[in-house]
Amino acid sequence: MEPLADDQLNRVYSPILSPLAWDLGHIANFEELWLVQRVGGLEPMRGELGRLYDAIENPRKIRNELPILRGDELRSYMAEVRERTLEVLSGIELSYADDPLLAGGFIYEMLLAHEHQHNETMLQLLQMVDGYEPVRVDESVAAEPVSEGPEMVTVEAGEYEIGADAGGFAYDNERPRHTVELQAFEIDRTPVTNAAFAEFVADTGAEPPMYWERDGGRWVTTQFGDRRPLDPALPVVHVDWNKADAFARWAGKRLPTEFEWEAAATGADRDRANLDQLGFGCAPAGAYGDAPSDCGAVQMLGDVWEWTSSDFLAYPGFAAFPYPEYSEVFFGDEYKVLRGGAWATRTSVIRNSFRNWDLPQRSQIFSGIRCVRDL
Ligand code: AVJ
Ligand code: FE
């Protein structure tokens, strides 16, 4: 946020994204709600704020009309909340707690995950800010060498354990861990590239992804107001579910179910992956060949979120914890599941069992494609 002026923090860039000032206030208010009020038992610092920063009550397109905190008032609220949080933390014992909210630091992990997830949401908006310059770019990500290998790799038929086990932090929607039976299938070894997607567009007349523009006979990308020739070697990103599904069919394949995706990701290493906003863009498809998952697929974690064919549904035996508005209110056939995280995802957020979800028409998210085929 540092390079941005206050008017950029307050501006509405898209009706489907909050002004950045709302995200900042919401991050702090959520922290105050759970760590200061709930865990610490303290009174709200400013009684009226909770309603303004409730994500369910306030749809994104009206958030700029609310009397939210802005400028120095916002910055001092954020600092005060953090100070109080640390004070509360210094007075409690997490390791012996029998309250499931505190045991193993669950609620602290959840608040970190929440802040980090909003970092990615804010980056969706930053891509719309003309001339935005990242504070730091790790150039080695774009220079990762590309590995050779087959187009598709095999995942054997069998029983697979899906979801997060009972220990440690995970969201309620990842639990309980349960067994699913899968038929054998093949999965793309790498995410689908810009080159392959451009071929699909040329062949079918399909709409291009968000941030692609035609410039004479070629494609350019337009994030950060920066026009660059499309790099054919990078994973395609900013495709909606409908385009991902249509691409898969055109290629004679299909999107994986989220269970197939999770089985294929077994053995993936989030510490050898393009996550955490390191490179401020994708590594080429086929990078990280030294860290494949057990089936031989690369980049299952990082680079681009991968659309699955699955609706966002509860696992058998699901119990909302610690609040139904994180997952439960979104269950149903309206949302599709995405897996694996993107270059914009903070490392601590992602694991093989992590489930993201969005509406099938959304493409401002860092969403890409990996296809499968029955064997
Ligand atoms: C999991 C990305 C769909 O942004 O709506 C943030 C994450 N939940 N604050 C969202 C979330 C509450 C959530 N997604
Ligand atoms: Fe939130």
Side-chain angles (χ1 to χ4, degrees):
M1 296 301 108
E2 227 164 69
L4 298 182
D6 275 341
D7 80 291
Q8 291 171 307
L9 296 181
N10 289 323
R11 196 178 305 168
V12 176
Y13 286 85
S14 156
I16 60 168
L17 290 171
S18 321
L20 293 165
W22 187 91
D23 282 275
L24 291 172
H26 166 80
I27 290 169
N29 186 248
F30 199 67
E31 179 170 321
E32 193 202 350
L33 190 74
W34 283 101
L35 302 184
V36 180
Q37 295 171 230
R38 178 75 185 263
V39 176
L42 301 179
E43 289 300 311
M45 288 161 55
R46 301 164 188 237
E48 78 289 6
L49 282 187
R51 292 204 25 228
L52 306 179
Y53 293 115
D54 184 313
I56 306 271
E57 256 189 71
N58 303 293
R60 286 174 172 182
K61 65 172 183 294
I62 63 123
R63 287 176 186 172
N64 206 36
E65 291 145 33
L66 301 168
I68 57 172
L69 300 177
R70 302 178 193 266
D72 287 340
E73 225 193 330
L74 170 60
R75 280 181 272 274
S76 62
Y77 173 68
M78 293 171 69
E80 271 174 61
V81 169
R82 183 55 51 88
E83 208 178 294
R84 286 180 173 223
T85 290
L86 295 177
E87 238 169 73
V88 170
L89 175 61
S90 69
I92 60 173
E93 180 55 74
L94 294 170
S95 30
Y96 306 111
D98 38 357
D99 177 352
L101 212 52
L102 291 180
F106 181 94
I107 196 64
Y108 287 88
E109 296 280 357
M110 189 184 91
L111 265 288
L112 282 168
H114 181 257
E115 175 163 341
H116 284 178
Q117 282 172 281
H118 275 275
N119 290 166
E120 179 171 344
T121 315
M122 292 163 88
L123 195 45
Q124 292 168 19
L125 184 138
L126 283 180
Q127 293 199 120
M128 300 175 183
V129 176
D130 283 355
Y132 179 81
E133 300 243 8
V135 180
R136 168 199 67 158
V137 177
D138 180 346
E139 306 286 349
S140 70
V141 170
E144 279 288 339
V146 171
S147 57
E148 292 295 317
E151 182 190 324
M152 300 185 89
V153 293
T154 299
V155 178
E156 304 296 341
E159 294 195 330
Y160 289 88
E161 294 295 314
I162 297 297
D165 58 27
F169 175 77
Y171 278 108
D172 55 4
N173 65 56
E174 299 166 62
R175 291 177 164 144
R177 191 166 165 89
H178 61 291
T179 306
V180 300
E181 174 126 15
L182 298 177
Q183 300 300 311
F185 63 95
E186 289 182 296
I187 187 163
D188 289 344
R189 191 179 69 89
T190 76
V192 168
T193 61
N194 283 328
F197 202 85
E199 208 183 313
F200 162 68
V201 170
D203 195 42
T204 63
E207 283 280 304
M210 190 175 180
Y211 298 117
W212 283 29
E213 260 176 40
R214 258 184 233 281
D215 186 1
R218 56 173 201 164
W219 292 107
V220 293
T221 55
T222 62
Q223 285 99 325
F224 308 111
D226 187 16
R227 296 174 69 81
R228 293 168 183 235
L230 180 76
D231 184 338
L234 298 184
V236 67
V237 59
H238 297 299
V239 290
D240 67 30
W241 185 90
N242 297 309
K243 288 185 190 116
D245 181 62
F247 174 90
R249 290 164 197 271
W250 172 81
K253 303 176 184 176
R254 60 179 173 81
L255 295 180
T257 67
E258 64 168 319
F259 299 149
E260 287 171 332
W261 188 96
E262 193 168 326
T266 307
D269 178 4
R270 72 176 185 181
D271 295 319
R272 261 302 280 161
N274 181 18
L275 288 158
D276 230 19
Q277 312 181 353
L278 285 177
F280 244 71
C282 285
Y288 304 101
D290 56 337
S293 68
D294 294 351
C295 70
V298 300
Q299 294 164 301
M300 293 298 290
L301 302 180
D303 287 297
V304 290
W305 287 101
E306 299 175 13
W307 283 112
T308 73
S309 60
S310 302
D311 295 337
F312 185 51
L313 300 175
Y315 289 168
F318 167 85
F321 181 77
Y323 68 115
E325 290 82 8
Y326 182 79
S327 313
E328 195 175 19
V329 300
F330 296 100
F331 286 148
D333 58 10
E334 225 189 319
Y335 294 90
K336 293 291 184 192
V337 173
L338 300 112
R339 294 295 203 110
W343 66 265
T345 308
R346 304 293 303 273
T347 306
S348 69
V349 168
I350 210 66
R351 40 187 176 269
N352 284 4
S353 61
F354 184 86
R355 306 168 76 198
N356 195 3
W357 68 92
D358 218 317
L359 297 170
Q361 67 271 25
R362 287 290 189 253
S363 56
Q364 90 289 356
I365 53 177
F366 300 88
S367 47
I369 316 170
R370 186 190 304 260
C371 307
V372 297
R373 189 158 57 197
D374 295 331
L375 258 185

